[in-house]
Amino acid sequence: MAGQAPQDVLLSTVLTRYMAQHGGTIASKATASRAVDLWREWWPVTTTVAEVGIGQQEDFLGWLRGRGYSEGYARRVLGVGKSALNRAWKRGEIAQVPFVDLPPIGEAYPHYASREQVVRLLNTQMPEHLWALLLVRLCTGCRGDAAQDLQVFQIDRRANLVRLNPPGRQQTKKYRPVVPLLPALAAYIDQAKPSAYVVHWHGRRVASIKTTWRKVRKAALLPPWFVPKTIRHTVATWLRQRSVPAWEVSGLLGHHAGGTTDRYAKFDPAYLGEARKALQQIVEDLARDVPRLAELVGVNLGSVDATADNESSTETIGTHRFQVVGGTGFEPVTPTMSR
């Protein structure tokens, strides 16, 4: 019945309808599904929409915090419930819905790795799909879902670009940009020859790496805060430490969606040039202590003229040629970097 009173509609009905009619179409459907499960776990099955008051929401938020969820994740959980209620109201299914007060946006993820920690991780024995995931994230700075979704057809070998958002997929607030294709990633694809997904398990998309990650993290003697997204934050931090302009780092990470004119910027030979150069230097520097990465870089690192930071040489990976900039190494590790 349309336009029902909030006291006549169960919260569980709204959540179920939201997932059945809309949940499967959103990019973060797994997160939405988990959020709905948490709503159902805390709120009694008899709860009506009218009973979702601010006081009850605060108690729910406290329960989420008590379960160890971060402020950012708790905000996303409440946001899913808010979206479900608002959707029901907009569609005329409920005459009125309560205001869901989202907690403030928390501080950015505080951790990033030291060079020694990343080297230790990359040298740890791991399944092929995790190695591929780490390489994609290291070479592009992308989020985990973008790396897991990446397919071979998204690699533009002619323009040396990686189109992180496949055709037909609607962009979300977690924007997936077009980023430079580094020689190491190009060489890995030539070597591994994936048929579809670059990160795959027997040809299929890898749905989750949680269990594998925990085993590898412990084997590498890394702290509990070293989660997969630490790679992305580390790449961003290292780029800024190398004085890469903020707008280039923002463009690489997908923090800036761009407008109509910006759609053609990626075809400029200098597109994200400083970020590309710095990323290549980072990969080359790590390769000095990561044999498997050194094989992919495919250059004699000792022959690079370290005194000419702005000079470049041409490297051939398979049938493709790239500009390779001499590595200058990392700044000395500070106490802040080793957190």
Side-chain angles (χ1 to χ4, degrees), residues 188-283:
Y188 176 78
I189 293 172
D190 286 343
Q191 179 189 90
K193 295 180 172 57
S195 59
Y197 292 100
V198 176
V199 180
H200 67 90
W201 177 257
H202 299 298
R204 298 189 302 273
R205 181 188 183 278
V206 174
S208 174
I209 63 165
K210 291 181 180 178
T211 300
T212 303
W213 176 265
R214 283 195 295 268
K215 293 178 180 178
V216 172
R217 179 187 62 76
K218 291 179 180 179
L221 302 179
L222 295 171
W225 57 255
F226 200 121
V227 294
K229 69 178 178 181
T230 305
I231 297 296
R232 174 176 164 87
H233 287 261
T234 299
V235 167
T237 300
W238 287 352
L239 289 176
R240 291 297 285 145
Q241 287 176 339
R242 287 172 173 264
S243 300
V244 174
W247 74 266
E248 286 207 17
V249 177
S250 177
L252 182 79
L253 298 179
H255 293 162
H256 166 64
T260 302
T261 304
D262 288 345
R263 295 177 186 173
Y264 304 99
K266 54 184 171 286
F267 297 109
D268 186 330
Y271 173 67
L272 295 181
E274 292 300 313
R276 181 196 294 263
K277 184 190 302 183
L279 271 176
Q280 181 61 21
Q281 291 174 350
I282 288 169
V283 172

XYZ file of all heavy atoms in Angstrom, residues 188-283:
780
model
N 54.206 -7.593 -16.215
C 53.530 -8.683 -15.513
C 52.398 -9.249 -16.360
O 52.217 -10.468 -16.437
C 52.981 -8.197 -14.179
C 52.185 -9.271 -13.475
C 52.830 -10.302 -12.787
C 50.792 -9.292 -13.538
C 52.112 -11.311 -12.177
C 50.066 -10.300 -12.920
C 50.729 -11.307 -12.246
O 50.013 -12.324 -11.650
N 51.623 -8.381 -16.991
C 50.510 -8.843 -17.826
C 51.036 -9.638 -19.010
O 50.479 -10.672 -19.387
C 49.666 -7.646 -18.284
C 48.966 -7.023 -17.065
C 48.635 -8.063 -19.330
C 48.269 -5.723 -17.360
N 52.148 -9.179 -19.597
C 52.766 -9.941 -20.695
C 53.246 -11.303 -20.205
O 53.173 -12.302 -20.932
C 53.948 -9.156 -21.278
C 53.502 -7.972 -22.123
O 52.313 -7.942 -22.526
O 54.330 -7.071 -22.370
N 53.741 -11.341 -18.999
C 54.300 -12.574 -18.441
C 53.200 -13.536 -17.987
O 53.226 -14.730 -18.314
C 55.197 -12.213 -17.252
C 55.838 -13.393 -16.546
C 56.531 -12.948 -15.264
O 55.939 -12.915 -14.198
N 57.809 -12.584 -15.377
N 52.206 -13.026 -17.252
C 51.161 -13.886 -16.688
C 50.087 -14.259 -17.703
O 49.430 -15.288 -17.572
C 50.526 -13.199 -15.481
N 49.876 -13.373 -18.687
C 48.875 -13.594 -19.736
C 47.490 -13.948 -19.174
O 46.909 -14.991 -19.513
C 49.339 -14.686 -20.709
C 50.575 -14.303 -21.509
C 50.989 -15.413 -22.460
C 52.085 -14.964 -23.392
N 53.284 -14.486 -22.689
N 46.931 -13.111 -18.309
C 45.588 -13.387 -17.800
C 44.565 -13.306 -18.931
O 44.686 -12.467 -19.826
C 45.362 -12.276 -16.766
C 46.281 -11.170 -17.208
C 47.476 -11.830 -17.806
N 43.579 -14.170 -18.898
C 42.578 -14.193 -19.962
C 41.520 -13.116 -19.783
O 40.949 -12.630 -20.758
C 41.898 -15.565 -20.019
O 41.272 -15.859 -18.770
N 41.238 -12.746 -18.543
C 40.217 -11.731 -18.284
C 40.675 -10.838 -17.132
O 41.234 -9.773 -17.355
C 38.877 -12.383 -17.969
N 40.474 -11.305 -15.902
C 40.857 -10.508 -14.743
C 42.361 -10.576 -14.505
O 42.954 -11.658 -14.529
C 40.117 -11.001 -13.494
C 38.629 -10.737 -13.520
C 37.736 -11.745 -13.860
C 38.127 -9.471 -13.227
C 36.361 -11.500 -13.897
C 36.767 -9.219 -13.254
C 35.887 -10.238 -13.595
O 34.545 -9.989 -13.635
N 42.950 -9.411 -14.268
C 44.382 -9.370 -13.961
C 44.639 -10.044 -12.626
O 45.601 -10.800 -12.466
C 44.886 -7.908 -13.951
C 46.361 -7.852 -13.545
C 44.681 -7.254 -15.315
N 43.782 -9.783 -11.654
C 43.832 -10.453 -10.348
C 42.759 -11.533 -10.378
O 41.573 -11.230 -10.396
C 43.558 -9.464 -9.202
C 43.617 -10.175 -7.856
C 44.550 -8.301 -9.247
N 43.160 -12.780 -10.407
C 42.162 -13.833 -10.575
C 42.536 -15.106 -9.817
O 43.693 -15.306 -9.417
C 41.976 -14.164 -12.061
C 43.195 -14.792 -12.682
N 43.403 -16.160 -12.716
C 44.292 -14.239 -13.288
C 44.549 -16.417 -13.315
N 45.121 -15.275 -13.673
N 41.538 -15.944 -9.625
C 41.726 -17.268 -9.048
C 41.170 -18.261 -10.057
O 39.974 -18.368 -10.227
C 41.011 -17.375 -7.702
C 41.100 -18.735 -7.062
C 40.137 -19.699 -7.020
C 42.244 -19.297 -6.393
N 40.596 -20.809 -6.366
C 41.893 -20.597 -5.965
C 43.526 -18.829 -6.118
C 42.770 -21.433 -5.278
C 44.394 -19.654 -5.432
C 44.023 -20.935 -5.023
N 42.077 -18.925 -10.768
C 41.690 -19.851 -11.832
C 40.761 -19.181 -12.837
O 39.758 -19.770 -13.269
C 41.037 -21.099 -11.245
C 41.940 -21.878 -10.334
N 43.122 -22.465 -10.757
C 41.854 -22.139 -8.998
C 43.710 -23.071 -9.744
N 42.969 -22.882 -8.659
N 41.098 -17.950 -13.201
C 40.349 -17.226 -14.212
C 39.159 -16.449 -13.699
O 38.595 -15.633 -14.435
N 38.760 -16.680 -12.465
C 37.591 -15.998 -11.915
C 38.023 -14.810 -11.051
O 39.114 -14.806 -10.483
C 36.746 -16.954 -11.072
C 36.177 -18.130 -11.856
C 35.176 -18.909 -11.006
N 35.757 -19.407 -9.774
C 36.406 -20.566 -9.654
N 36.573 -21.339 -10.723
N 36.891 -20.964 -8.488
N 37.116 -13.834 -10.941
C 37.390 -12.663 -10.113
C 37.569 -13.095 -8.661
O 36.827 -13.935 -8.158
C 36.238 -11.664 -10.207
C 36.456 -10.391 -9.390
C 35.194 -9.543 -9.370
N 35.396 -8.297 -8.650
C 35.334 -8.153 -7.322
N 35.069 -9.223 -6.566
N 35.510 -6.984 -6.747
N 38.547 -12.516 -7.996
C 38.782 -12.798 -6.583
C 37.808 -11.969 -5.765
O 37.815 -10.735 -5.830
C 40.237 -12.464 -6.192
C 40.434 -12.626 -4.696
C 41.205 -13.356 -6.959
N 36.949 -12.637 -5.010
C 35.919 -11.934 -4.244
C 36.461 -11.350 -2.944
O 36.067 -10.257 -2.531
C 34.753 -12.878 -3.944
N 37.374 -12.054 -2.280
C 37.887 -11.591 -0.995
C 39.305 -12.115 -0.782
O 39.634 -13.222 -1.211
C 36.983 -12.056 0.145
O 37.537 -11.725 1.412
N 40.127 -11.293 -0.126
C 41.497 -11.703 0.190
C 41.745 -11.681 1.692
O 42.894 -11.800 2.128
C 42.528 -10.788 -0.509
C 42.380 -9.344 0.024
C 42.388 -10.837 -2.020
C 43.555 -8.458 -0.309
N 40.687 -11.537 2.490
C 40.854 -11.321 3.924
C 41.669 -12.413 4.597
O 42.621 -12.145 5.332
C 39.484 -11.193 4.584
C 38.738 -9.923 4.218
C 37.398 -9.853 4.932
C 36.650 -8.576 4.560
N 35.318 -8.507 5.220
N 41.303 -13.673 4.370
C 42.003 -14.780 5.037
C 43.443 -14.878 4.558
O 44.379 -15.005 5.366
C 41.273 -16.104 4.768
O 39.936 -16.009 5.265
C 41.984 -17.258 5.458
N 43.635 -14.792 3.246
C 44.991 -14.864 2.688
C 45.837 -13.704 3.181
O 47.014 -13.879 3.520
C 44.930 -14.854 1.153
O 44.118 -15.934 0.705
C 46.324 -14.995 0.552
N 45.233 -12.514 3.227
C 45.984 -11.341 3.669
C 46.472 -11.507 5.100
O 47.618 -11.185 5.404
C 45.131 -10.084 3.543
C 45.834 -8.872 4.081
C 45.734 -8.334 5.323
C 46.817 -8.094 3.386
N 46.565 -7.255 5.457
C 47.247 -7.087 4.287
C 47.351 -8.141 2.098
C 48.193 -6.137 3.932
C 48.299 -7.183 1.749
C 48.717 -6.204 2.657
N 45.600 -11.983 5.987
C 46.016 -12.142 7.385
C 47.209 -13.078 7.501
O 48.138 -12.821 8.273
C 44.844 -12.668 8.215
C 43.804 -11.620 8.568
C 42.886 -12.115 9.669
N 42.094 -13.263 9.227
C 40.889 -13.165 8.680
N 40.341 -11.978 8.502
N 40.226 -14.256 8.327
N 47.199 -14.180 6.748
C 48.306 -15.137 6.799
C 49.605 -14.506 6.296
O 50.658 -14.657 6.923
C 47.959 -16.365 5.973
C 46.816 -17.213 6.538
C 46.509 -18.389 5.642
C 45.364 -19.231 6.202
N 45.027 -20.366 5.294
N 49.515 -13.794 5.183
C 50.721 -13.187 4.606
C 51.218 -12.050 5.486
O 52.428 -11.897 5.699
C 50.432 -12.694 3.169
C 51.605 -11.877 2.634
C 50.142 -13.877 2.250
N 50.304 -11.254 6.028
C 50.714 -10.149 6.909
C 51.479 -10.669 8.118
O 52.513 -10.113 8.511
C 49.483 -9.345 7.357
C 49.834 -8.197 8.292
C 48.602 -7.515 8.848
N 47.758 -8.404 9.647
C 48.041 -8.787 10.888
N 49.167 -8.384 11.472
N 47.214 -9.581 11.555
N 50.958 -11.744 8.712
C 51.626 -12.316 9.886
C 52.979 -12.914 9.502
O 53.961 -12.778 10.241
C 50.737 -13.368 10.524
C 49.497 -12.798 11.193
C 48.625 -13.893 11.786
C 47.379 -13.305 12.450
N 46.498 -14.366 13.014
N 53.030 -13.571 8.344
C 54.292 -14.158 7.887
C 55.340 -13.081 7.623
O 56.539 -13.307 7.812
C 54.057 -14.991 6.629
N 54.887 -11.903 7.197
C 55.798 -10.796 6.921
C 56.124 -9.992 8.177
O 56.848 -8.995 8.099
C 55.185 -9.873 5.871
N 55.575 -10.416 9.333
C 55.817 -9.750 10.618
C 55.408 -8.284 10.575
O 56.105 -7.396 11.084
C 57.295 -9.871 11.009
C 57.847 -11.303 11.119
C 59.319 -11.292 11.480
C 57.040 -12.115 12.124
N 54.243 -8.021 9.962
C 53.725 -6.664 9.867
C 52.661 -6.434 10.940
O 51.981 -7.368 11.356
C 53.131 -6.431 8.476
C 54.145 -6.484 7.328
C 53.439 -6.452 5.978
C 55.145 -5.337 7.437
N 52.501 -5.200 11.398
C 51.548 -4.900 12.483
C 50.095 -5.065 12.022
O 49.809 -5.025 10.812
C 51.858 -3.440 12.819
C 52.469 -2.879 11.574
C 53.250 -3.998 10.965
N 49.163 -5.227 12.958
C 47.754 -5.418 12.606
C 47.160 -4.286 11.779
O 46.233 -4.506 10.992
C 47.065 -5.520 13.976
C 48.130 -6.017 14.897
C 49.392 -5.375 14.411
N 47.679 -3.057 11.951
C 47.114 -1.937 11.185
C 47.491 -2.003 9.713
O 46.924 -1.265 8.887
C 47.540 -0.595 11.775
C 49.021 -0.340 11.895
C 49.760 -0.373 13.042
C 49.941 0.008 10.847
N 51.077 -0.071 12.780
C 51.222 0.164 11.434
C 49.823 0.214 9.474
C 52.356 0.503 10.699
C 50.954 0.547 8.727
C 52.196 0.691 9.333
N 48.441 -2.854 9.352
C 48.868 -2.944 7.949
C 47.825 -3.765 7.176
O 47.959 -4.959 6.984
C 50.253 -3.601 7.847
C 50.965 -3.306 6.540
C 52.197 -2.682 6.541
C 50.398 -3.641 5.327
C 52.857 -2.398 5.355
C 51.033 -3.364 4.132
C 52.276 -2.741 4.139
N 46.776 -3.080 6.754
C 45.707 -3.699 5.975
C 45.943 -3.380 4.499
O 46.806 -2.559 4.164
C 44.334 -3.180 6.448
C 44.047 -3.645 7.869
C 44.261 -1.658 6.356
N 45.210 -4.020 3.587
C 45.472 -3.789 2.156
C 45.463 -2.328 1.737
O 46.283 -1.916 0.901
C 44.355 -4.589 1.474
C 44.102 -5.732 2.404
C 44.244 -5.140 3.780
N 44.539 -1.521 2.306
C 44.487 -0.130 1.856
C 45.706 0.673 2.302
O 45.912 1.802 1.834
C 43.219 0.548 2.369
C 43.144 0.790 3.858
C 41.850 1.516 4.202
C 41.707 1.746 5.707
N 40.431 2.422 6.029
N 46.539 0.085 3.161
C 47.774 0.759 3.553
C 48.661 1.006 2.341
O 49.407 1.988 2.293
C 48.532 -0.074 4.607
O 47.667 -0.334 5.713
C 49.767 0.652 5.110
N 48.594 0.105 1.355
C 49.394 0.285 0.136
C 49.006 1.591 -0.553
O 49.875 2.379 -0.966
C 49.199 -0.902 -0.828
C 49.694 -2.209 -0.190
C 49.918 -0.646 -2.155
C 51.186 -2.230 0.083
N 47.718 1.836 -0.691
C 47.237 3.054 -1.353
C 47.689 4.301 -0.584
O 48.176 5.264 -1.186
C 45.710 2.995 -1.458
C 45.028 4.247 -1.989
C 43.533 3.974 -2.116
N 42.728 5.172 -2.246
C 42.454 5.776 -3.384
N 42.964 5.311 -4.518
N 41.679 6.843 -3.423
N 47.544 4.282 0.731
C 47.941 5.434 1.539
C 49.459 5.627 1.503
O 49.940 6.761 1.537
C 47.468 5.249 2.978
C 45.990 5.426 3.137
N 45.409 6.590 3.579
C 44.955 4.585 2.874
C 44.094 6.460 3.604
N 43.791 5.252 3.192
N 50.183 4.528 1.427
C 51.636 4.627 1.353
C 52.068 5.236 0.027
O 52.950 6.105 -0.018
C 52.264 3.233 1.528
O 51.901 2.707 2.808
C 53.780 3.291 1.420
N 51.457 4.783 -1.070
C 51.766 5.351 -2.389
C 51.502 6.851 -2.385
O 52.336 7.648 -2.847
C 50.943 4.651 -3.489
C 51.024 5.434 -4.802
C 51.441 3.228 -3.708
N 50.345 7.266 -1.857
C 50.007 8.683 -1.822
C 51.022 9.475 -0.994
O 51.457 10.559 -1.389
C 48.598 8.866 -1.253
N 51.404 8.921 0.147
C 52.366 9.602 1.023
C 53.725 9.735 0.354
O 54.348 10.804 0.361
C 52.505 8.829 2.345
O 51.228 8.763 2.991
C 53.499 9.514 3.273
N 54.187 8.649 -0.261
C 55.490 8.691 -0.929
C 55.489 9.659 -2.108
O 56.492 10.324 -2.365
C 55.884 7.297 -1.381
C 56.304 6.399 -0.250
C 56.496 6.753 1.056
C 56.582 4.997 -0.333
N 56.889 5.659 1.793
C 56.952 4.561 0.968
C 56.560 4.059 -1.362
C 57.284 3.253 1.256
C 56.897 2.743 -1.081
C 57.260 2.348 0.213
N 54.380 9.755 -2.818
C 54.311 10.700 -3.936
C 54.424 12.133 -3.431
O 55.134 12.955 -4.028
C 52.995 10.514 -4.701
C 52.859 9.235 -5.521
C 51.471 9.151 -6.145
C 53.928 9.148 -6.610
N 53.738 12.448 -2.336
C 53.819 13.801 -1.803
C 55.206 14.090 -1.235
O 55.707 15.207 -1.341
C 52.756 14.007 -0.706
C 51.340 14.030 -1.235
C 51.093 15.185 -2.199
N 50.987 16.449 -1.487
C 51.416 17.606 -1.958
N 52.027 17.643 -3.133
N 51.267 18.714 -1.273
N 55.851 13.066 -0.649
C 57.211 13.257 -0.152
C 58.187 13.517 -1.285
O 59.241 14.116 -1.068
C 57.648 12.021 0.645
C 56.957 11.906 2.010
C 57.327 10.638 2.747
O 57.773 9.669 2.146
N 57.121 10.629 4.051
N 57.829 13.098 -2.479
C 58.660 13.356 -3.659
C 58.229 14.619 -4.394
O 58.601 14.837 -5.547
C 58.616 12.156 -4.605
C 59.395 10.952 -4.094
C 59.160 9.717 -4.965
N 60.042 8.633 -4.535
C 61.216 8.345 -5.076
N 61.667 9.076 -6.090
N 61.955 7.355 -4.627
N 57.406 15.429 -3.714
C 56.984 16.740 -4.230
C 56.120 16.649 -5.485
O 56.092 17.581 -6.294
C 58.207 17.641 -4.504
O 58.946 17.853 -3.318
N 55.408 15.537 -5.659
C 54.448 15.456 -6.748
C 53.307 16.418 -6.437
O 52.793 16.427 -5.314
C 53.911 14.020 -6.907
C 52.801 13.960 -7.960
C 55.050 13.080 -7.279
N 52.902 17.252 -7.386
C 51.835 18.233 -7.123
C 50.572 17.581 -6.576
O 50.193 16.481 -6.971
C 51.583 18.855 -8.502
C 52.872 18.669 -9.243
C 53.430 17.355 -8.766
N 49.930 18.292 -5.660
C 48.741 17.751 -5.003
C 47.660 17.377 -6.001
O 46.970 16.367 -5.849
C 48.197 18.766 -4.004
N 47.486 18.176 -7.073
C 46.403 17.895 -8.019
C 46.690 16.607 -8.786
O 45.763 15.890 -9.170
C 46.194 19.069 -8.968
C 47.250 19.225 -10.034
C 48.362 19.995 -9.983
C 47.260 18.589 -11.320
N 49.088 19.873 -11.146
C 48.431 19.016 -11.989
C 46.413 17.699 -11.965
C 48.765 18.580 -13.271
C 46.741 17.270 -13.249
C 47.900 17.714 -13.882
N 47.989 16.287 -9.007
C 48.313 15.033 -9.688
C 48.053 13.836 -8.784
O 47.541 12.806 -9.233
C 49.768 15.033 -10.166
C 50.019 15.903 -11.368
C 51.212 15.425 -12.200
O 51.627 14.258 -12.026
O 51.712 16.220 -13.018
N 48.407 13.951 -7.512
C 48.126 12.874 -6.567
C 46.617 12.676 -6.452
O 46.119 11.545 -6.441
C 48.744 13.178 -5.183
C 48.380 12.085 -4.183
C 50.261 13.309 -5.295
N 45.889 13.789 -6.389
C 44.435 13.722 -6.313
C 43.853 13.047 -7.549
O 42.947 12.215 -7.457
C 43.855 15.135 -6.165
O 42.452 15.112 -6.155
N 44.382 13.380 -8.728
C 43.904 12.770 -9.964
C 44.208 11.289 -10.028
O 43.373 10.482 -10.469
N 45.386 10.895 -9.574
C 45.766 9.490 -9.577
C 44.883 8.674 -8.648
O 44.485 7.548 -8.976
C 47.229 9.345 -9.161
C 47.795 7.919 -9.171
C 48.146 7.490 -10.594
C 49.013 7.805 -8.275
N 44.545 9.241 -7.494
C 43.776 8.512 -6.489
C 42.276 8.556 -6.746
O 41.509 7.877 -6.068
C 44.073 9.067 -5.100
C 45.521 8.959 -4.615
C 45.654 9.566 -3.231
C 45.987 7.514 -4.603
N 41.835 9.355 -7.707
C 40.409 9.434 -7.993
C 39.668 10.356 -7.062
O 38.458 10.222 -6.888
N 40.366 11.320 -6.461
C 39.705 12.290 -5.595
C 39.137 13.454 -6.393
O 38.423 14.291 -5.857
C 40.691 12.837 -4.558
C 41.127 11.802 -3.575
N 42.259 11.943 -2.797
C 40.604 10.599 -3.245
C 42.400 10.877 -2.030
N 41.409 10.043 -2.297
N 39.488 13.508 -7.678
C 39.007 14.580 -8.548
C 38.447 13.937 -9.799
O 39.148 13.257 -10.549
C 40.168 15.523 -8.911
C 39.853 16.449 -10.058
N 38.874 17.411 -9.975
C 40.380 16.551 -11.306
C 38.826 18.078 -11.117
N 39.725 17.577 -11.946
N 37.143 14.115 -10.029
C 36.482 13.461 -11.160
C 36.751 14.162 -12.475
O 36.793 13.523 -13.523
C 34.973 13.395 -10.906
N 36.924 15.473 -12.452
C 37.182 16.195 -13.684
C 35.913 16.513 -14.451
O 34.850 15.952 -14.209
N 36.038 17.418 -15.413
C 34.903 17.807 -16.241
C 35.076 17.353 -17.672
O 35.897 16.497 -17.993
N 34.309 17.973 -18.567
C 34.330 17.558 -19.968
C 35.711 17.737 -20.591
O 36.231 16.862 -21.277
C 33.292 18.365 -20.765
O 32.007 18.167 -20.180
C 33.265 17.915 -22.219
N 36.337 18.887 -20.335
C 37.660 19.140 -20.906
C 38.681 18.147 -20.384
O 39.564 17.682 -21.120
C 38.116 20.579 -20.586
O 37.135 21.492 -21.070
C 39.458 20.869 -21.229
N 38.560 17.786 -19.115
C 39.527 16.878 -18.497
C 39.486 15.483 -19.105
O 40.419 14.706 -18.942
C 39.272 16.784 -16.991
C 39.672 18.054 -16.256
O 40.388 18.860 -16.868
O 39.262 18.236 -15.102
N 38.395 15.135 -19.803
C 38.299 13.803 -20.396
C 39.396 13.570 -21.430
O 39.783 12.437 -21.693
C 36.935 13.623 -21.069
C 35.755 13.654 -20.106
C 34.450 13.548 -20.853
N 33.304 13.727 -19.959
C 32.047 13.808 -20.369
N 31.772 13.717 -21.666
N 31.068 13.974 -19.504
N 39.886 14.651 -22.007
C 40.896 14.517 -23.048
C 42.311 14.713 -22.518
O 43.276 14.500 -23.239
C 40.606 15.535 -24.171
C 39.213 15.397 -24.728
C 38.189 16.229 -24.314
C 38.910 14.401 -25.656
C 36.893 16.091 -24.807
C 37.621 14.253 -26.154
C 36.625 15.104 -25.722
O 35.350 14.956 -26.197
N 42.419 15.108 -21.254
C 43.741 15.378 -20.677
C 44.601 14.127 -20.655
O 45.829 14.193 -20.783
C 43.586 15.945 -19.267
N 43.981 12.953 -20.504
C 44.759 11.721 -20.399
C 45.525 11.390 -21.675
O 46.446 10.570 -21.651
C 43.837 10.549 -20.037
C 42.651 10.357 -20.955
C 41.768 9.232 -20.451
C 40.445 9.125 -21.197
N 39.508 10.201 -20.820
N 45.158 12.019 -22.786
C 45.867 11.757 -24.036
C 47.073 12.676 -24.205
O 47.840 12.522 -25.150
C 44.909 11.917 -25.219
C 43.780 10.917 -25.193
C 42.488 11.313 -24.903
C 44.026 9.574 -25.436
C 41.449 10.391 -24.868
C 43.001 8.646 -25.400
C 41.704 9.058 -25.108
N 47.215 13.618 -23.283
C 48.396 14.479 -23.284
C 49.595 13.637 -22.858
O 49.542 12.954 -21.833
C 48.169 15.630 -22.290
C 49.279 16.671 -22.329
O 50.439 16.301 -22.639
O 48.993 17.838 -22.041
N 50.702 13.667 -23.618
C 51.889 12.885 -23.220
C 52.379 13.197 -21.811
O 53.019 12.359 -21.181
C 52.931 13.284 -24.272
C 52.132 13.715 -25.459
C 50.896 14.371 -24.894
N 52.050 14.399 -21.323
C 52.492 14.789 -19.982
C 51.442 14.489 -18.920
O 51.584 14.913 -17.775
C 52.824 16.279 -19.961
N 50.397 13.736 -19.270
C 49.305 13.437 -18.344
C 49.843 12.784 -17.073
O 50.515 11.755 -17.134
C 48.298 12.519 -19.027
C 47.201 11.996 -18.134
C 46.244 12.862 -17.603
C 47.100 10.648 -17.829
C 45.215 12.394 -16.801
C 46.075 10.161 -17.021
C 45.136 11.040 -16.513
O 44.129 10.567 -15.721
N 49.570 13.395 -15.933
C 50.061 12.915 -14.637
C 51.554 12.591 -14.719
O 52.029 11.611 -14.142
C 49.273 11.679 -14.178
C 47.778 11.897 -13.884
C 47.141 10.589 -13.414
C 47.570 12.986 -12.834
N 52.280 13.449 -15.425
C 53.692 13.176 -15.687
C 54.548 13.055 -14.448
O 55.382 12.156 -14.342
N 54.344 13.955 -13.484
C 55.133 13.893 -12.257
C 54.782 12.657 -11.443
O 55.663 12.007 -10.861
C 54.914 15.164 -11.426
C 55.475 16.429 -12.057
C 56.968 16.333 -12.278
O 57.682 15.912 -11.349
O 57.433 16.660 -13.388
N 53.490 12.323 -11.403
C 53.070 11.124 -10.666
C 53.617 9.870 -11.330
O 54.089 8.950 -10.659
C 51.542 11.062 -10.600
N 53.570 9.822 -12.663
C 54.109 8.670 -13.394
C 55.601 8.506 -13.115
O 56.083 7.404 -12.839
C 53.874 8.842 -14.897
C 54.372 7.673 -15.747
C 54.459 8.073 -17.209
N 53.166 8.354 -17.797
C 52.462 7.476 -18.505
N 52.925 6.255 -18.699
N 51.299 7.821 -19.025
N 56.315 9.616 -13.187
C 57.756 9.580 -12.963
C 58.092 9.103 -11.550
O 58.951 8.237 -11.348
C 58.343 10.982 -13.195
C 59.869 11.060 -13.080
C 60.330 12.521 -13.083
C 59.885 13.252 -14.329
N 60.399 14.658 -14.353
N 57.376 9.658 -10.572
C 57.645 9.291 -9.185
C 57.260 7.844 -8.903
O 57.978 7.135 -8.182
C 56.888 10.234 -8.246
N 56.144 7.389 -9.444
C 55.747 5.995 -9.262
C 56.799 5.055 -9.839
O 57.129 4.027 -9.245
C 54.394 5.731 -9.936
C 53.137 5.957 -9.109
C 51.903 5.738 -9.972
C 53.093 5.047 -7.893
N 57.320 5.416 -11.008
C 58.354 4.583 -11.618
C 59.608 4.554 -10.750
O 60.236 3.499 -10.571
C 58.690 5.096 -13.021
C 59.748 4.287 -13.763
C 59.329 2.845 -13.992
O 58.125 2.523 -13.955
N 60.288 1.976 -14.219
N 59.953 5.690 -10.168
C 61.106 5.734 -9.277
C 60.875 4.869 -8.041
O 61.781 4.172 -7.577
C 61.384 7.183 -8.858
C 61.902 8.072 -9.992
C 62.019 9.522 -9.563
O 61.558 9.908 -8.490
N 62.634 10.340 -10.402
N 59.660 4.916 -7.512
C 59.326 4.119 -6.336
C 59.458 2.633 -6.633
O 60.056 1.869 -5.863
C 57.899 4.461 -5.857
C 57.878 5.849 -5.205
C 57.375 3.413 -4.878
C 56.489 6.386 -4.933
N 58.897 2.209 -7.761
C 58.958 0.792 -8.134
C 60.399 0.359 -8.362
O 60.824 -0.714 -7.923
C 58.095 0.525 -9.382
C 58.307 -0.889 -9.902
C 56.619 0.739 -9.065
